[in-house]
Amino acid sequence: MAEVKDWRPFVYGGLASITAEFGTFPIDTTKTRLQIQGQKIDQTFSQLRYRGMTDAFVKISKEEGLRALYSGIWPAVLRQATYGTIKFGTYYTLKKLANERGLLTDEDGSERVWSNILCAAGAGAISSAIANPTDVLKVRMQVHGKGTDHLGLIGCFREIHKYEGVRGLWRGVGPTAQRAVVIASVELPVYDFCKLQLMSAFGDHVANHFISSFIASLGSAVASTPIDVIRTRLMNQRHVTVLNGGVATAAASASASAQRLYSGSLDCAVQTIRNEGLLALYKGFIPTWVRMGPWNIIFFITYEQLKKY
């Protein structure tokens, strides 16, 4: 029975992640749309269509229908099924290895904060890198909304593989892993600190978990949004050609030389700041924070309830 129980965190982590994803996905779609707009070097997304999260939510619903807010939900669910499971499994494996080498706990038996941060950061980086293809599919489907309805998950996968190869599925893997490391490194210690400070007022109850998660989400949103903007833009990037100073798809001209908008994370950051200003790296910050809070609440409450069975 003990051996079976060792697998429960894997299953619970995946189920809780999927539940949280369904509950907050429309907010994530508005975040993605805000992050890719205003790119002056890409005419497709050069206009500022949305003034903010609420405006994006209303316009997407009105112009494309409510289903468009859930475009990309299935690759997102697939991502959580793999990412959530791998992250939990890797996290506990790393903690076990650290404990065997005497690195996890100090002299009085309490777990070291830095050890937990390193384990969480390592688990986040590894799992996010492995699940990167599902993230690319999610971003592409979110950006194009109802335009991907005829493709679906499998069709979108085939299109990326056909025109961009296997490397296209790992586009943006660098900032994806960096973002996972930053979120894990900031969110976990801030959450634990806030939870401990609020214990006398709220106890170990849902109110404490809610407030602590929301404050932790603010810290991770501030730290991770610039990386998230870069990641989203790299993932949405396709093979393009430059025609008379403008950008068009690669199929538009066989004679034009293929050229990427961004050569990598650093180039994307530099061009974004140069063309749109420093604050462009914080596009989608509000929906990022608003989503992280409820996502964590749904995740931890679901996880704690599943642990009872």
Side-chain angles (χ1 to χ4, degrees), residues 182-198:
V182 168
I183 288 177
S185 300
V186 173
E187 202 167 58
L188 291 175
V190 172
Y191 176 82
D192 288 338
F193 175 79
C194 292
K195 181 181 176 182
L196 183 64
Q197 297 302 312
L198 295 171

Side-chain angles (χ1 to χ4, degrees), residues 89 156 210 272:
C156 193
F210 184 90
T272 298

